[in-house]
Structures are given as structure tokens and as C-alpha cells.
């Protein structure tokens, strides 16, 4: 719902208000919510939602500090080495997702477990493709120099 729809609905549900008065009410509400969030407060609108502003640093370094996945090794140059590193990272992520399936099942949250199961299937599929791309028919990894 956009601002103009909110004003129209408020005016419709409150026929004693003129459209301009409904607009003033909506603007006052939005201004108060904005001010509260800007001040670092949490806004809780019952039966609607809870809102807060958090400081996020989306840089690769900040994300790397918070992740449980191993950092991609530096100093590797061969394609096969990069593929092995990527496979290891995908495998770690796949294991972490499978752990979340177990955790959510044990917590009695089958819906979240289903979501994690779907994510796990997709990650496992990509992991299979990565492994298939670097394996010779004998099952050994290619060295990337062929």
C-alpha cells in the first residue's frame, strides 16, 4: 500500500474526516515513525509489524568476519585449485544447511525445515555439477593443465 492509498482508505473508513485531514494524520504518523527510527528506537505496530534500523556493513570483509564458511584461499592460480576451493566451500555450506534442517525439525518448526530442505537440494545439485566438472571418468580430479 502506498501513501495515497493509505490516505484514501483512512478517509473512507472515517467519513467525518476530510481528505486533507486524513492526509495530515497519515503524514503525522509517517513523520513520527521516521523520527523514532532515526533516533534508533524500535517501532512496534500491533498486528502489523515491528521495525528497527540496524547498521549493516555489507563489505566483503565484514561478511567474511561473520560467516562460518572457510575463506577462499589466496595465492592459487590453477583453475583446478579454484574449483577444489569452490567445491570445499559449497560442501561446507551444504553441511551447514543440513544442520539447520535438523535444528528446525528438533525445534518443532517443520515449515522452516522444508525451506532448508529445498535450499539443501539446490546446493547439492550445484555441488554435484561442480564435482562432475572436475572429475575424469576414473573419478580422479583433473589437474587443470590438460
Amino acid at each position: 500500500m502506498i501513501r495515497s492509498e493509505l490516505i484514501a482508505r483512512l478517509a473512507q473508513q472515517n467519513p467525518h474526516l476530510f481528505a486533507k485531514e486524513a492526509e495530515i494524520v497519515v503524514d503525522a504518523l509517517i513523520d513520527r515513525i521516521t523520527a523514532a527510527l532515526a533516533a534508533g528506537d524500535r517501532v512496534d505496530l500491533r498486528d502489523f509489524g515491528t521495525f528497527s534500523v540496524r547498521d549493516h556493513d555489507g563489505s566483503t570483509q565484514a561478511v567474511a568476519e561473520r560467516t562460518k564458511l572457510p575463506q577462499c584461499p589466496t595465492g592459487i592460480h590453477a583453475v583446478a585449485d579454484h574449483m577444489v576451493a569452490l567445491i570445499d566451500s559449497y560442501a561446507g555450506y551444504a553441511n551447514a544447511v543440513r544442520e539447520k534442517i535438523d535444528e528446525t525439525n528438533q525445534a518443532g518448526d517443520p515449515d522452516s525445515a522444508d525451506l532448508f530442505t529445498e535450499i539443501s537440494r539446490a546446493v547439492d545439485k550445484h555441488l554435484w555439477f561442480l564435482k562432475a566438472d572436475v572429475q575424469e571418468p576414473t573419478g580422479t580430479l583433473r589437474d587443470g593443465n590438460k
Side-chain angles (χ1 to χ4, degrees):
M1 177 177 286
I2 60 174
R3 180 180 165 276
S4 60
E5 292 171 337
L6 186 58
I7 292 168
R9 181 176 254 177
L10 181 64
Q12 180 186 22
Q13 291 177 346
N14 296 279
H16 62 282
L17 291 177
F18 291 109
K20 187 65 179 167
E21 293 172 317
E23 183 177 1
I24 290 169
V25 169
V26 168
D27 286 345
L29 178 65
I30 292 172
D31 288 346
R32 181 64 191 115
I33 291 170
T34 302
L37 292 173
D41 295 337
R42 190 178 98 180
V43 176
D44 186 11
L45 302 174
R46 187 169 294 161
D47 297 328
F48 185 72
T50 302
F51 307 91
S52 62
V53 177
R54 291 186 280 167
D55 226 359
H56 290 286
D57 180 2
S59 68
T60 56
Q61 295 83 2
V63 172
E65 288 175 6
R66 292 189 302 265
T67 186
K68 294 179 182 178
L69 296 176
Q71 194 170 13
C72 188
T74 57
I76 56 175
H77 303 288
V79 173
D81 294 337
H82 284 286
M83 291 298 289
V84 168
L86 188 57
I87 288 168
D88 289 344
S89 183
Y90 260 74
Y93 178 60
N95 289 333
V97 171
R98 281 190 283 280
E99 288 175 12
K100 292 297 179 190
I101 295 169
D102 294 338
E103 287 177 25
T104 52
N105 270 327
Q106 290 171 0
D109 187 355
D111 294 332
S112 294
D114 286 347
L115 292 172
F116 282 121
T117 300
E118 189 62 31
I119 293 168
S120 175
R121 288 179 181 150
V123 172
D124 285 340
K125 176 181 160 185
H126 290 293
L127 182 57
W128 185 89
F129 283 130
L130 287 169
K131 287 180 176 180
D133 191 50
V134 297
Q135 286 185 353
E136 293 290 347
T138 61
T140 59
L141 289 179
R142 293 184 203 146
D143 66 6
N145 295 323
K146 293 183 182 180

